[in-house]
Amino acid sequence: MTDERIIAYLLEELPEDDLERFEDECFAQESWPTHIHLVEEDLIDAYLRNELIPERRQRFERNYLTTETRQDRVSMAAALLRQIDEYNAASKVTAVVQPPVLTLAERFRAFWNSQAWGLRAATGIATVVVIAGALWISFRPPSPRTFATLTLSITSNNRAEGAQADKVNLPPNAEALNVSLTLPQQAPSAARYRVELENDNGDRKSAEVTGKDAQSVLVMIPAAQLARGQYALKLFAIKTDGTEQRINGTYFFIVE
């Protein structure tokens, strides 16, 4: 699972056989490989810094930016990148206007000697607090990501006919709901899939497809998009030539 192969997967450059082998490797692990998320972050950074070749930039915009989740991920990365660039620019300006004669130790000594005793003590305490906080942030383990899970089967009934809907409770700290959609036996062959999420009011939005195999399609829905109520998931098969076919039936679930 090299970085280049992961990028080709994210940009949908892998042939169908390689795509299936790649996803089989991922599903064979206990959780979705962390290395994929790291490469994905580097890919987004390269896109925002205009470091991708024109062909890959087009594939990024056409094949990667297909869901609201991914679009939000790129928007947050762009905002963070702007803050970093603004900070670096401000640091460069500050460095230009500093007196070149004094070293850092000499400037600190001059500042320290010019302060009153009380201000020195307060400055020293603040410095210790800042350093301790920075060390704690640097060395603390990352908070584990929390997901709720659900497995659904397709039904040909609709809401009016009283279709059965599985129920799920989202923990307060859950980031998303991972849903495994079991494919029907007569499902058409597909190179990839698209999923629509519909709420009780009929509002629709795309759901992110995070993986697939011969029996199921895996979908991730951010918890922020799931209020209490009933939802329907509609599955579309996308063939190798780009044509799309709706798979008959609907997946229903209820968030309590």
Side-chain angles (χ1 to χ4, degrees), residues 137-168:
I137 292 173
S138 300
F139 292 104
R140 67 170 179 169
S143 299
R145 304 182 70 186
T146 304
F147 299 93
T149 58
L150 186 64
T151 299
L152 300 177
S153 298
I154 200 165
T155 177
S156 58
N157 295 334
N158 56 37
R159 289 191 179 99
E161 295 170 341
Q164 294 295 322
D166 289 8
K167 299 179 181 180
V168 61

Side-chain angles (χ1 to χ4, degrees), residues 114-126:
S114 66
Q115 306 304 310
W117 181 89
L119 184 56
R120 290 184 191 178
T123 303
I125 293 172

Side-chain angles (χ1 to χ4, degrees), residues 120-239:
R120 290 184 191 178
T123 303
I125 293 172
T127 302
V128 171
V129 170
V130 170
I131 294 174
L135 290 174
W136 181 80
I137 292 173
S138 300
F139 292 104
R140 67 170 179 169
S143 299
R145 304 182 70 186
T146 304
F147 299 93
T149 58
L150 186 64
T151 299
L152 300 177
S153 298
I154 200 165
T155 177
S156 58
N157 295 334
N158 56 37
R159 289 191 179 99
E161 295 170 341
Q164 294 295 322
D166 289 8
K167 299 179 181 180
V168 61
N169 285 304
L170 294 179
N173 60 338
E175 296 184 27
L177 173 64
N178 281 336
V179 186
S180 179
L181 305 179
T182 303
L183 292 171
Q185 293 183 352
Q186 304 300 323
S189 60
R192 55 193 177 93
Y193 294 91
R194 183 175 69 85
V195 178
E196 278 188 359
L197 173 68
E198 181 178 338
N199 62 18
D200 280 338
N201 298 324
D203 299 328
R204 299 179 182 178
K205 59 180 61 180
S206 296
E208 181 178 6
V209 177
T210 57
K212 68 178 181 68
D213 57 24
Q215 289 79 37
S216 61
V217 176
L218 186 62
V219 179
M220 183 180 71
I221 307 172
Q225 298 180 7
L226 296 174
R228 289 184 177 179
Q230 181 168 323
Y231 294 87
L233 290 169
K234 299 178 181 180
L235 185 62
F236 298 82
I238 302 176
K239 301 181 180 180

Side-chain angles (χ1 to χ4, degrees), residues 18-29:
D18 289 346
L19 176 64
E20 291 181 358
R21 282 194 295 270
F22 182 91
E23 292 181 341
D24 287 342
E25 292 176 15
C26 294
F27 282 110
Q29 303 184 37

